[in-house]
C-alpha cells in the first residue's frame, strides 16, 4: 500500500526524531532485570483502534522481550472501560485517548501517564448519515449526538462545537458505546456520532455515513499509555523495557504495510479496505516520554471539561506523570 507522498518527509522526520528521543531516554531495548524483580504477569489493556498495541500483540513483541513472563492481552470497547479495569486491578497497563485518564484521575484512580503517541487528527471525526441535512458543525444546534462519555471523541466533540461557537448545552449528547452508537446513527435514533478509528473508517466505507468534521486543526493531544501507580512504583525498569518493546510496532507497520494491514484486519474483524483507510490517514506514531507541551495540552482539556461541569474536580495532570528511570551516567 503506497504511502501518501505529501507526508513522506514528515514520516522520515518523525521516525528519526522518535529514535533520537527514545535513545536519549534509554528506551531502545528492554533493560536487564538485575535491579528489580519481574512481576508474575503483565496484563495489557487495548482497544481495536490502538494500532501499535494490536500489532505488538500480533507480533508478540513483549513476549519476545520477556519470554519468561506470562502476558495477557485484554480487549476493551473504549478507554473509559479500560481504565475502570485498571482501577479495579484487572490490568496493569493500557492505552487510551486523551480524555479517559482525565476522567479517571478526577474520580480518584491511582494511575500514571507512562508514554504518549502523537495526535492523529484524521483518525477521528464527527459524522452524519450521507443523506443528513446537517452540513456544518453549526447545524448541530439541538441535534442528538452520540458519543462515548469520557472518550477522546468526547473531547473532539467539545472542541468542534467550540470552533463553531457552540457548547455541549447546545446539543443533546447521547452517551453510547461505539457499537450502540453506530446502530443508533444507522436507525436515525441520533443525528450525528463523534467517533474514532476503526469505527470511523468502517462507518464511512460500509455504514452510509459522511464526515461533518474531523480532528484536523482542533486535536492537539494524542493517545496515552497508562499504568497503575503501584505497578510502576514496584517495576520501573520493567515498565521502561515494555515501552521499548511496544515502540517497535510502528516500524513493523511502515516496513511491512500490506502484511500489517492483513494482521490488523484479522485482529479487528474488519475488511481490509477499512484498515487501509485507517493506516493511510495515520502519521508515524512511536511511544514517547511526555513533554511539557503535551502535559500542558492535556491540562487544558481537563480544565475545559471541569469548566463545563463534566468532571467533579479539575485534576492536576502534572502530578501523575511518570518519569522513567535513567541509566547511570545520564
Amino acid at each position: 500500500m503506497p504511502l501518501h507522498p505529501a507526508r513522506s518527509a514528515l514520516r522520515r522526520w518523525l521516525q528519526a526524531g522518535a529514535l533520537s528521543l527514545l535513545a536519549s531516554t534509554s528506551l531502545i531495548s528492554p533493560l536487564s532485570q538485575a535491579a528489580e524483580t519481574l512481576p508474575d504477569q503483565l496484563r495489557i489493556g487495548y482497544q481495536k483502534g490502538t494500532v501499535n498495541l494490536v500489532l505488538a500483540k500480533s507480533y508478540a513483541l513483549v513476549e519476545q522481550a520477556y519470554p519468561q513472563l506470562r502476558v495477557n492481552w485484554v480487549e476493551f470497547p473504549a478507554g473509559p472501560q479500560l481504565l475502570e479495569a485498571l482501577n479495579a486491578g484487572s490490568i496493569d497497563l493500557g492505552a487510551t485517548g486523551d480524555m479517559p485518564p482525565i476522567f479517571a484521575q478526577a474520580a480518584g484512580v491511582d494511575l500514571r501517564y507512562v508514554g504518549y503517541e502523537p495526535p492523529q487528527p484524521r483518525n477521528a471525526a464527527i459524522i452524519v448519515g450521507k443523506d443528513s441535512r446537517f452540513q456544518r458543525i453549526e447545524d448541530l444546534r439541538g441535534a442528538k449526538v452520540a458519543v462515548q462519555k469520557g472518550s477522546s471523541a468526547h473531547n473532539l466533540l467539545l472542541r468542534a462545537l467550540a470552533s463553531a461557537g457552540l457548547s455541549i448545552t447546545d446539543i443533546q449528547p447521547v452517551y453510547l458505546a461505539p457499537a450502540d452508537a453506530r446502530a443508533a446513527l444507522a436507525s436515525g435514533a441520533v443525528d450525528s456520532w463523534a467517533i474514532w478509528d476503526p469505527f470511523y473508517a468502517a462507518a464511512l466505507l460500509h455504514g452510509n455515513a459522511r464526515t461533518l468534521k474531523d480532528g484536523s486543526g482542533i486535536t492537539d493531544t494524542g493517545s496515552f499509555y497508562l499504568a497503575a501507580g503501584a505497578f510502576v512504583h514496584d517495576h520501573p525498569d520493567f515498565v521502561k523495557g515494555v515501552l521499548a518493546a511496544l515502540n517497535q510496532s510502528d516500524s513493523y507497520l511502515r516496513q511491512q504495510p500490506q502484511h500489517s494491514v492483513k494482521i490488523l484486519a484479522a485482529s479487528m474483524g474488519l475488511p481490509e479496505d477499512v484498515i487501509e483507510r485507517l493506516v493511510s490517514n495515520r502519521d508515524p506514531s512511536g511511544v514517547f516520554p511526555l513533554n511539557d507541551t503535551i502535559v500542558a495540552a492535556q491540562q487544558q482539556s481537563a480544565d475545559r471539561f471541569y469548566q463545563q461541569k463534566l468532571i467533579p474536580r479539575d485534576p492536576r495532570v502534572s502530578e501523575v506523570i511518570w518519569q522513567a528511570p535513567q541509566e547511570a551516567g545520564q
Side-chain angles (χ1 to χ4, degrees):
M1 182 177 58
L3 298 178
H4 197 294
R7 295 198 295 273
S8 61
L10 173 62
R11 294 182 188 282
R12 290 193 297 272
W13 178 81
L14 282 173
Q15 287 167 338
L19 290 176
S20 174
L21 180 56
L22 290 170
S24 71
T25 55
S26 300
L27 287 178
I28 290 298
S29 62
L31 301 180
S32 70
Q33 300 304 311
E36 66 182 50
T37 303
L38 277 174
D40 294 333
Q41 64 177 335
L42 175 64
R43 301 162 300 174
I44 303 175
Y46 72 101
Q47 304 169 59
K48 285 185 184 296
T50 314
V51 171
N52 280 347
L53 283 185
V54 172
L55 287 176
K57 176 179 181 291
S58 300
Y59 285 116
L61 298 181
V62 178
E63 292 85 345
Q64 291 178 48
Y66 296 95
Q68 72 276 47
L69 185 71
R70 184 169 76 256
V71 181
N72 296 320
W73 295 83
V74 186
E75 184 179 336
F76 294 89
Q81 294 89 330
L82 188 154
L83 290 186
E84 286 176 9
L86 186 78
N87 185 46
S90 301
I91 62 172
D92 307 302
L93 180 148
T96 76
D98 52 5
M99 287 314 301
I102 288 174
F103 270 71
Q105 187 185 359
V109 176
D110 181 23
L111 59 78
R112 297 292 183 274
Y113 291 80
V114 298
Y116 88 98
E117 293 182 15
Q120 302 290 348
R122 294 180 300 280
N123 282 165
I126 298 164
I127 63 176
V128 295
K130 281 186 177 178
D131 299 326
S132 170
R133 63 183 176 84
F134 300 113
Q135 300 298 323
R136 306 175 304 158
I137 293 296
E138 290 89 333
D139 299 334
L140 291 179
R141 186 183 296 273
K144 294 181 179 179
V145 182
V147 64
Q148 168 73 61
K149 186 174 184 179
S151 68
S152 59
H154 201 176
N155 198 11
L156 170 65
L157 176 60
L158 261 66
R159 288 172 180 264
L161 290 171
S163 73
L166 302 176
S167 74
I168 197 74
T169 59
D170 292 310
I171 64 167
Q172 299 179 58
V174 180
Y175 296 122
L176 297 171
D180 295 330
R182 178 172 180 172
L185 183 66
S187 69
V190 297
D191 303 301
S192 181
W193 180 21
I195 190 56
W196 60 89
D197 273 331
F199 308 104
Y200 169 36
L204 291 187
L205 295 177
H206 301 287
N208 199 36
R210 60 178 169 83
T211 303
L212 199 62
K213 184 175 182 60
D214 68 16
S216 299
I218 57 175
T219 298
D220 59 3
T221 50
S223 300
F224 292 96
Y225 289 74
L226 295 310
F231 190 79
V232 296
H233 176 271
D234 293 340
H235 307 288
D237 287 337
F238 173 68
V239 170
K240 186 175 180 180
V242 168
L243 293 175
L246 296 176
N247 193 59
Q248 300 174 64
S249 293
D250 196 68
S251 295
Y252 278 88
L253 178 60
R254 302 304 154 193
Q255 295 166 10
Q256 305 176 40
Q258 290 292 353
H259 182 55
S260 294
V261 164
K262 291 183 181 298
I263 288 175
L264 290 168
S267 178
M268 296 181 186
L270 292 168
E272 289 187 16
D273 62 341
V274 170
I275 306 304
E276 288 172 350
R277 187 187 189 283
L278 182 163
V279 171
S280 69
N281 283 333
R282 186 176 184 275
D283 290 322
S285 187
V287 184
F288 295 82
L290 275 74
N291 57 46
D292 291 344
T293 300
I294 292 296
V295 173
Q298 187 72 339
Q299 186 62 56
Q300 289 174 0
S301 293
D303 297 343
R304 180 182 308 109
F305 272 69
Y306 178 69
Q307 290 162 4
Q308 298 204 26
K309 297 179 171 39
L310 293 170
I311 51 178
R313 67 184 182 91
D314 195 358
R316 297 296 93 192
V317 174
S318 60
E319 295 176 355
V320 291
I321 304 300
W322 178 68
Q323 298 296 328
Q326 297 294 306
E327 293 287 353
Q330 287 190 329

